[in-house]
Amino acid sequence: MERNLKEVFHEAAQLPEHDRATLAGLLIETLDPVSEPDVEAAWSEEIKRRLTEIDAGTVELIPWEEVRAELFAQPNESSDSSAIANRQ
């Protein structure tokens, strides 16, 4: 029995939010090329650096709701979207 994309989507959309997020992540992983060890090591170091900054309180954390509101407040004006980047 062959199922089309619409049927699969409709069924997946009925899943609980956590399961939909997990499914989305798994699907994205199937699109990602195999990562190189050097790239993985660089990301690992970057994550450690950022966590150290957060733990030390040397960076300003911005709640997602605020970032999203700023991004969508003026969708046609690129100057507004740079406001978030300038906070760093």
Side-chain angles (χ1 to χ4, degrees):
M1 173 199 290
E2 187 174 316
R3 296 166 39 188
N4 68 31
L5 180 60
K6 271 187 172 179
E7 292 169 337
V8 172
F9 173 78
H10 180 71
E11 189 174 330
Q14 304 305 311
L15 294 170
E17 183 176 343
H18 180 267
D19 290 345
R20 289 193 319 269
T22 300
L23 177 59
L26 292 170
L27 288 171
I28 289 170
E29 285 179 10
T30 67
L31 301 174
D32 289 340
V34 177
S35 61
E36 298 179 24
D38 292 344
V39 173
E40 290 297 320
W43 272 116
S44 181
E45 287 303 313
E46 179 65 14
I47 291 167
K48 288 177 190 174
R49 182 188 68 77
R50 292 180 186 195
L51 287 173
T52 300
E53 289 178 340
I54 291 169
D55 290 341
T58 58
V59 293
E60 177 188 2
L61 301 180
I62 306 168
W64 166 243
E65 293 79 14
E66 187 178 328
V67 172
R68 186 176 191 280
E70 286 187 34
L71 286 173
F72 291 105
Q74 301 291 331
N76 294 327
E77 295 184 27
S78 61
S79 62
D80 284 347
S81 63
S82 64
I84 294 169
N86 292 332
R87 295 174 103 171
Q88 298 178 1

